[in-house]
Amino acid sequence: MKKKIQTRPNLSKITLRPYKISDVDDFLMCGGNEKVTRFTRWNTFTSKQEVVSYINDYCIPHPYCRSICIDNRSIGFVIIMPRSGDDRCKADVGYALAVEY
């Protein structure tokens, strides 16, 4: 029996870009997995329609929400949430990656 060789993605092609509606299936792969969402502030997504609404209503308009991509395929997200008042020079950073990554 031959040993299966696992290929790793070319990590030199990691990019950050704004979300697009076409990211729905990839986002659901990450945001629909409880192993990922147990560390986020949002609940596990259970349908494409929930993800479409979230991308349209939150990800696309938010200036600091970006898709983490390999070869332009979304594998996770990163968000920077600026603080205000006396903490206006600070921000919180959150991220999540699909379980495979």
Side-chain angles (χ1 to χ4, degrees):
M1 181 180 211
K2 289 186 177 183
K3 184 177 180 181
K4 184 177 179 181
I5 298 173
Q6 185 176 5
T7 59
R8 302 189 86 197
N10 183 351
L11 300 181
S12 68
K13 295 185 179 193
I14 294 175
T15 59
L16 296 178
R17 64 160 170 76
Y19 272 96
K20 304 179 284 190
I21 292 301
S22 60
D23 292 323
V24 169
D25 291 327
D26 292 335
F27 190 101
L28 191 56
M29 179 182 67
C30 181
N33 188 319
E34 290 180 359
K35 289 181 180 180
V36 174
T37 60
R38 69 180 173 180
F39 300 111
T40 66
R41 293 186 175 195
W42 31 270
N43 295 326
T44 304
F45 291 92
T46 58
S47 72
K48 280 188 176 184
Q49 188 53 50
E50 283 181 323
V51 174
V52 168
S53 295
Y54 188 76
I55 290 174
N56 268 331
D57 299 342
Y58 187 77
C59 296
I60 291 174
H62 196 291
Y64 303 112
C65 184
R66 293 291 181 256
S67 175
I68 301 170
C69 299
I70 293 180
D71 292 327
N72 205 35
R73 182 169 180 220
S74 183
I75 63 161
F77 75 92
V78 63
I79 186 164
I80 300 170
M81 296 159 285
R83 294 185 181 177
S84 59
D86 291 340
D87 288 334
R88 68 185 173 276
C89 294
K90 297 179 181 179
D92 294 318
V93 177
Y95 73 94
L97 292 171
V99 172
E100 302 82 68
Y101 300 94

